[in-house]
Amino acid sequence: LRRQGVKVEVIAEIASDLNRRLLSRLFEMIAPAELRTSGCLIVMGSEGRGEQTTRTDQDNGLILAGPVRSEILQPFRSEFSTTLESFGFPPCPGEIMVRNPAWSKPLSDYLADFRRWIVLPDQTAHMNAFLAHFARAIDAFETPIGLFNNLITSEGTGDALDLKKGGIFPVVHGVRSLALEQGLRETSTDKRIARLCELGVLRTDLGRDLNQAFRFLLTLRLDGQLAASAGVSGTLVRPAQLSSIERHLLRDALQVVKQFRDI
């Protein structure tokens, strides 16, 4: 698809759809009848946003309508995650997956968790603090663009920069934070940006630039993933190996990311 010039957002849509079909079929095949009729399998991360291009770590969970007996639920938890691992989907390092009881439980338990996180005497003040803390993760990594528009690489990564940490994550998480604040139900980054522009949270021109920058970064990452050998991260890009126009577009994209981070 990439060789044929298909846009990255279309490739991601196709890959995500295939992934959802695979997980849905697996759920139908191994989940006991009680879970199939009273459970909802969910996917998160790039899978949930419809932005997946290659196989990623498992990022899934299970919402149950009500309590399910342990002798039914526990074997399913283990078999589902183990089977996905045998398909080539490695376990989530943070254990955000069905086999973790924290991510496969009744809806009432999830709601109780949310209430514990946010309910304090001054709910409004705490919610604002919660959102600010949530959004602060956007500063976890520096944008690899210098004062004079130069690309900043790291010798430790072979004079490369990390597209995910320096560019993709700040966009995804920043947009996610604003979407949460506005109570949006859209899940993909591009649809969230469009709604935020409609609501006047983001300027239309910034929303357009942000979408274009995000798609370009995803395209570069996809090229890196397709070219990467086993055990090599596809999110690392070496500017010296890019064409002059690609380096120019990368600088522009990272400047947009930097501007968005300031907001």
Side-chain angles (χ1 to χ4, degrees), residues 177-241:
S177 302
L178 293 174
L180 177 63
E181 181 184 41
Q182 298 298 319
L184 304 186
R185 296 197 173 195
E186 285 78 7
T187 53
S188 67
T189 302
D190 59 346
K191 289 179 180 177
R192 285 171 170 169
I193 291 173
R195 286 286 290 125
L196 290 168
C197 288
E198 288 175 9
L199 295 170
V201 177
L202 292 178
R203 299 193 320 272
T204 302
D205 59 337
L206 176 58
R208 181 191 62 243
D209 291 348
L210 197 58
N211 242 329
Q212 291 176 347
F214 183 59
R215 288 173 181 172
F216 177 70
L217 293 170
L218 289 182
T219 301
L220 275 189
R221 183 183 68 172
L222 175 58
D223 288 343
Q225 289 171 329
L226 294 173
S229 56
V232 177
S233 172
T235 67
L236 294 177
V237 63
R238 290 171 177 77
Q241 296 177 358

Side-chain angles (χ1 to χ4, degrees), residues 8 12 20 22 35 39 47 64 82 103 145 155 157-158 162 179 184 199 254 257:
V8 67
R20 289 189 185 121
L22 186 148
L35 293 185
E47 299 172 66
L64 300 168
T82 301
W103 288 99
I145 189 81
E155 291 184 8
T157 57
D162 194 312
L184 304 186
L199 295 170
L254 292 176
V257 173

